[in-house]
Amino acid sequence: MKVVSIVLWCVVGLWMAPALAQPVPGNMNVQWDAGSTDCQAHPQRRLQVHRYNESTYILRESLCQTYEGPFIYLLIGSSRALLIDTGDVADATQMPLASTVLGLLPVVNGQRLPLLIVHTHGHLDHRSGDAQFAAAPNVTILGTDLAHVIDGFGFRQWPEDIAHIDLGGRTVDVIPTPGHYPSHVSFYDGNSGLAFTGDFFLPGRLIIDDTAADRASAARINDFLRDRPVTYVLGGHIELNKRGQVEPQGSNWHPDEAPLPLGKDDLAQLPPVLAGFNGFYSQSGRFVMYSQARMLQVISAAGILLLIVIALSLRWWFKRRRHAHAGHP
């Protein structure tokens, strides 16, 4: 009986280990560059690098180089490193991403640690920097279309199962979160307790192109993280100011940005908020949600209607002129 009890306690201990493990602490005390109203007159550093801890880095591309101001994340294990997203700028002379990232990698036995590059999704502002790494040795880049995502991460049943990336003493979980983009994924690093949610969840506009998929993704990621420690939830951009108002789209100047980190409680609010999303545009507190595809459809329909009105108006005007001329001797 005693042996059975010991075995049971061991099983329980192994089952509870992920929930009880304490994340490695880090430093989120950082002031992100605000950009400028005149980037030529007041140039900014092109790439800001923040060392969260000795094996985790947060990088941000300057708002003066791209108004998207995307965030990029570097996680280092004992056997390889992981780069999440590569930003919006392909030109290395304008954005020294590859040289900076490769310079942060440890050298083991005379060799730089191998690097695996992945993406939260396939929009250009999250993968344009891939080109800078194309010729670098010991670098693998995973594609962003659904077939490459499923095969590259080893998903068995998309989007229901969870994939895993072994970095050596550090495992990163890959959670399917389609809705913003068909092959969107989020990442959870149990080592640091950080969740990386790309454009699926961020302090800014939540662009939703598949409402049903987005709702299912919100439930899925919350279910996965429920019993796991979450230090911060980190998205792909900051698009809100400290008052919860949306920053002007296309602006290179964010003087009063909201903090980048969101929390587990913030993420838990997403499912009920999405339940009230009308599929077109809605706002609930600081959550601003809209369907870009449907808005484009409405704009296109309005444009076509306007052209029809203009054409009919011109036709009426020309007929009237012809009748007026016909009435003169």
Side-chain angles (χ1 to χ4, degrees):
M1 191 69 180
K2 186 176 180 181
V3 173
V4 173
S5 298
I6 292 173
V7 171
L8 286 173
W9 275 112
C10 289
V11 171
V12 171
L14 289 172
W15 177 72
M16 293 182 65
L20 296 176
Q22 292 300 310
V24 176
N27 171 26
M28 195 54 84
N29 184 21
V30 54
Q31 179 67 48
W32 301 108
D33 294 343
S36 176
T37 55
D38 187 343
C39 291
Q40 289 188 337
H42 305 285
Q44 308 286 303
R45 52 181 164 179
R46 296 173 179 177
L47 185 65
Q48 185 175 355
V49 180
H50 173 64
R51 185 182 182 186
Y52 177 76
N53 61 33
E54 63 180 9
S55 60
T56 307
Y57 293 86
I58 304 173
L59 302 87
R60 191 191 194 183
E61 293 186 335
S62 170
L63 289 163
C64 277
Q65 299 302 115
T66 165
Y67 70 84
E68 297 282 2
F71 286 88
I72 299 163
Y73 302 99
L74 177 64
L75 284 59
I76 301 172
S78 62
S79 60
R80 60 175 173 170
L82 181 72
L83 187 68
I84 301 174
D85 288 341
T86 60
D88 194 35
V89 184
D91 188 348
T93 62
Q94 297 299 316
M95 180 61 59
L97 178 65
S99 60
T100 300
V101 168
L102 296 176
L104 292 172
L105 298 181
V107 175
V108 180
N109 297 325
Q111 296 289 324
R112 188 181 62 227
L113 210 63
L115 177 66
L116 173 63
I117 296 177
V118 299
H119 311 81
T120 54
H121 62 294
H123 286 150
L124 285 174
D125 55 316
H126 293 264
R127 63 179 175 90
S128 290
D130 287 7
Q132 296 188 28
F133 295 89
N138 295 322
V139 174
T140 302
I141 304 174
L142 292 190
T144 58
D145 62 277
L146 187 55
H148 279 97
V149 166
I150 291 174
D151 183 63
F153 290 118
F155 286 108
R156 296 182 300 276
Q157 187 178 353
W158 173 274
E160 300 305 326
D161 61 333
I162 307 297
H164 312 282
I165 305 170
D166 183 6
L167 302 180
R170 186 177 194 176
T171 299
V172 177
D173 302 302
V174 189
I175 309 148
T177 47
H180 172 77
Y181 191 87
S183 59
H184 196 295
V185 293
S186 296
F187 301 90
Y188 173 71
D189 172 36
N191 175 276
S192 62
L194 298 176
F196 307 95
T197 50
D199 284 4
F200 167 72
F201 188 66
L202 73 165
R205 304 170 182 88
L206 303 183
I207 302 175
I208 302 167
D209 283 343
D210 186 330
T211 304
D214 213 77
R215 288 170 177 162
S217 294
R220 184 181 306 111
I221 192 170
N222 274 284
D223 286 344
F224 179 79
L225 295 175
R226 182 167 290 112
D227 297 322
R228 291 173 169 82
V230 177
T231 311
Y232 299 111
V233 178
L234 304 177
H237 310 270
I238 301 175
E239 296 177 347
L240 298 179
N241 62 27
K242 290 179 181 176
R243 298 177 299 282
Q245 300 168 331
V246 177
E247 297 279 7
Q249 198 155 13
S251 174
N252 301 107
W253 171 233
H254 292 187
D256 191 28
E257 274 190 338
L260 169 66
L262 296 169
K264 192 173 183 176
D265 290 343
D266 297 310
L267 189 59
Q269 295 176 37
L270 188 58
V273 167
L274 286 174
F277 177 53
N278 59 20
F280 180 71
Y281 177 93
S282 63
Q283 184 169 358
S284 176
R286 64 177 176 177
F287 292 96
V288 178
M289 301 161 288
Y290 65 91
S291 170
Q292 198 168 42
R294 291 195 178 185
M295 281 194 164
L296 288 173
Q297 289 171 359
V298 170
I299 292 171
S300 298
I304 292 171
L305 182 61
L306 179 62
L307 289 174
I308 292 172
V309 170
I310 292 172
L312 291 174
S313 299
L314 288 172
R315 182 183 176 188
W316 173 83
W317 184 77
F318 280 119
K319 287 179 68 175
R320 186 177 177 184
R321 281 181 61 85
R322 283 200 301 270
H323 289 155
H325 286 302
H328 289 291

